[in-house]
Amino acid sequence: MGRGRQKAKQTKVARELKYFSPDTNYRALEQELNGRRGDLVTDSRQDSDDEGDDYSRWPDER
């Protein structure tokens, strides 16, 4: 049980990823292409009070 089983599993996973096609949200795609970004779903990890400064959340190391 060495490389053969591992390679077979990797091949299976790669094949699943290759042929996987999630549902496409054409409305969001159309809005993005047209430049209207008013009600697009954005990344939920980004805080509304964060102004793009990625380093503001880290304490000063002095």
Side-chain angles (χ1 to χ4, degrees):
M1 294 179 244
R3 179 75 175 125
R5 182 176 287 187
Q6 182 181 6
K7 184 170 178 14
K9 185 173 182 179
Q10 289 175 347
T11 303
K12 178 183 175 188
V13 170
R15 190 173 291 123
E16 288 174 356
L17 290 173
K18 179 179 180 181
Y19 295 110
F20 173 71
S21 60
D23 294 334
T24 304
N25 186 345
Y26 291 108
R27 183 173 176 263
L29 177 62
E30 179 184 9
Q31 288 176 349
E32 184 176 345
L33 292 174
N34 288 331
R36 292 177 291 173
R37 302 182 71 112
D39 58 348
L40 274 179
V41 178
T42 58
D43 191 1
S44 62
R45 294 177 292 175
Q46 186 177 9
D47 296 330
S48 61
D49 58 351
D50 186 19
E51 296 180 12
D53 185 14
D54 292 335
Y55 299 104
S56 65
R57 66 177 180 236
W58 298 97
D60 291 333
E61 295 180 19
R62 293 184 184 170

